[in-house]
């Protein structure tokens, strides 16, 4: 963790700000610590930003650390776009033990001596999980089954049946295989994947394929789309700043989207909810008004550029 100097070096342009009455709309890129839920981090950021209008763009389990994107004020409306972007993780898979939660936080429920498992078998088992795959989420997840969260059903002694979901796992790279404890094998991996992928399930499925059981022993998220650990600050660093918002709304929009600049008439039309003429930009993109202020997020459909989110005048 960085001390006072760490925050100033990475976020120095923020550190000299004078505390403001108004809340800055924008994004906070947090390096989430272990032992906290994503909602715990949101609660801390609410206190730091002095507003209740705070949300997060993609849950991290309490055990996991790393990049968690937090939205403040009007920028909470951008989180729906952040949630769906690709992610990169570094983690450790432990073979030889299965757990109730498929990670290190759950009690051990089974397993077998994994000492005989060859490196080539591990590589083949991970390769089988790359590409577009149908993955069954961990039973201890927030997915609802018959209206009840799966993790609650597990706590109540039930075994929820979760349907497989199509996800894309672009790559699983092994950086180390360690056999430091009898009967156990630890595999350090980096995983690039689509939103909705459960890294715990990769560990569980590898252990099942090899017949020895497996779980996720450690996890750190290094990237959420274009956001990475280089831009992230710890909660301790953020607490040192007069304003914890590290990417004000205009900068956040330019980071997440392509940009279109509107003229005076286009600004008037779009700020009143009307459509603009298309300009051929694919996907949702940000529009800035004639005064340079954030105006909307639009997409081109039906021959018009229509607002998905209007930001001007929003509170």
């Amino acid at each position: 963790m960085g001390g006072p100097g760490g925050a100033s070096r990475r976020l120095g342009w923020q550190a000299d700000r004078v505390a403001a009455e108004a809340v800055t709309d924008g994004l906070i890129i947090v390096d989430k610590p272990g032992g906290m839920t994503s909602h715990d981090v949101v609660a801390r950021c609410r206190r730091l930003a002095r507003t209740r209008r705070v949300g997060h763009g993609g849950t991290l389990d309490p055990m996991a650390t790393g990049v968690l994107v937090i939205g403040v004020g009007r920028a909470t409306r951008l989180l729906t776009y952040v949630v769906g972007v690709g992610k990169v993780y570094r983690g450790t898979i432990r073979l030889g033990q299965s757990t109730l939660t498929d990670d290190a936080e759950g009690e051990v429920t089974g397993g077998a001596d994994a000492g005989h498992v060859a490196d080539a078998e591990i590589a083949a088992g991970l390769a089988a999980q790359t590409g577009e795959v149908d993955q069954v989420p961990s039973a201890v997840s927030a997915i609802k089954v018959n209206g009840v969260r799966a993790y609650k059903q597990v706590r109540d002694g039930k075994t929820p049946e979760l349907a497989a979901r199509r996800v894309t796992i672009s790559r699983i790279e092994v950086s180390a295989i360690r056999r430091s404890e009898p009967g156990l094998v630890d595999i350090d991996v980096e995983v690039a994947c689509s939103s909705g992928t459960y890294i715990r399930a990769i560990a569980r499925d590898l252990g099942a394929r090899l017949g020895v059981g497996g779980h996720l022993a450690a996890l750190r998220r290094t990237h959420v789309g274009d956001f990475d650990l280089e831009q992230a600050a710890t909660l301790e660093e953020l607490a040192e700043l007069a304003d914890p918002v590290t990417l004000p709304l205009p900068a956040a929009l330019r980071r997440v989207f392509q940009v279109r600049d509107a003229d005076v008439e286009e600004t008037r039309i779009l700020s009143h909810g009307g459509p603009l003429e298309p300009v051929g930009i694919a996907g949702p993109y940000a529009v800035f008004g004639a005064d340079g202020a954030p105006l909307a997020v639009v997409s081109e459909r039906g021959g018009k550029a229509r607002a998905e989110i209007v930001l001007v005048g929003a509170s």
Side-chain angles (χ1 to χ4, degrees):
M1 293 183 182
S8 298
R9 281 193 299 274
R10 257 195 296 164
L11 309 170
W13 62 276
Q14 288 276 43
D16 294 331
R17 283 189 174 184
V18 178
E21 295 275 333
V23 172
T24 300
D25 297 326
L27 299 178
I28 306 173
I29 315 303
V30 178
D31 185 351
K32 176 192 156 321
M36 293 183 73
T37 67
S38 298
H39 292 297
D40 290 338
V41 176
V42 166
R44 184 76 64 84
C45 289
R46 282 177 177 149
R47 292 195 292 273
L48 294 175
R50 302 176 300 283
T51 178
R52 289 200 58 78
R53 195 173 180 193
V54 176
H56 67 78
T59 301
L60 271 178
D61 291 334
M63 181 189 82
T65 67
V67 178
L68 183 66
V69 179
I70 301 291
V72 177
R74 287 179 294 164
T76 56
R77 305 182 71 186
L78 306 184
L79 295 176
T80 184
Y81 301 99
V82 172
V83 167
V85 300
K87 316 288 196 303
V88 180
Y89 298 87
R90 289 199 301 263
T92 300
I93 296 170
R94 170 160 285 189
L95 297 179
Q97 292 176 336
S98 300
T99 71
L100 181 64
T101 57
D102 299 328
D103 64 19
E105 295 196 315
E107 64 181 280
V108 175
T109 56
D113 189 326
H116 67 280
V117 176
D119 291 4
E121 293 177 284
I122 292 170
L126 292 172
Q129 296 191 63
T130 58
E132 286 194 9
V133 296
D134 292 321
Q135 184 187 71
V136 177
S138 174
V140 184
S141 67
I143 296 170
K144 288 187 176 181
V145 180
N146 298 322
V148 181
R149 302 284 185 191
Y151 65 77
K152 186 178 186 306
Q153 295 189 40
V154 171
R155 282 204 299 257
D156 292 340
K158 301 176 182 177
T159 305
E161 292 187 11
L162 291 107
R165 296 183 170 195
R166 178 59 59 94
V167 298
T168 300
I169 301 174
S170 302
R171 59 183 172 86
I172 305 176
E173 296 179 357
V174 176
S175 59
I177 298 177
R178 302 188 304 279
R179 305 171 188 273
S180 53
E181 295 185 44
L184 301 177
V185 179
D186 288 335
I187 309 155
D188 294 334
V189 296
E190 183 173 85
V191 181
C193 56
S194 65
S195 178
T197 303
Y198 283 81
I199 311 302
R200 285 180 288 163
I202 294 175
R204 175 203 66 203
D205 292 347
L206 178 63
R209 176 186 177 93
L210 297 175
V212 295
H215 70 273
L216 189 65
L219 185 66
R220 183 160 175 77
R221 187 156 68 191
T222 62
H223 293 74
V224 174
D226 289 334
F227 301 113
D228 61 30
L229 288 169
E230 287 297 317
Q231 300 132 32
T234 66
L235 291 171
E236 290 80 4
E237 288 175 335
L238 292 169
E240 299 170 9
L241 305 178
D243 185 346
V245 173
T246 49
L247 271 178
L249 184 59
L253 286 165
R254 294 182 184 279
R255 192 63 182 269
V256 175
F257 302 102
Q258 295 186 74
V259 171
R260 173 180 178 179
D261 293 311
D263 61 27
V264 173
E265 179 60 14
E266 290 171 333
T267 299
R268 184 191 67 78
I269 292 170
L270 195 55
S271 63
H272 288 87
L276 301 182
E277 292 302 312
V279 293
I281 300 177
Y285 58 85
V287 178
F288 284 74
D291 59 356
L295 186 58
V297 174
V298 309
S299 62
E300 298 185 358
R301 57 189 188 277
K304 294 291 183 180
R306 305 179 189 276
E308 295 186 355
I309 297 174
V310 176
L311 296 166
V312 65
S315 59

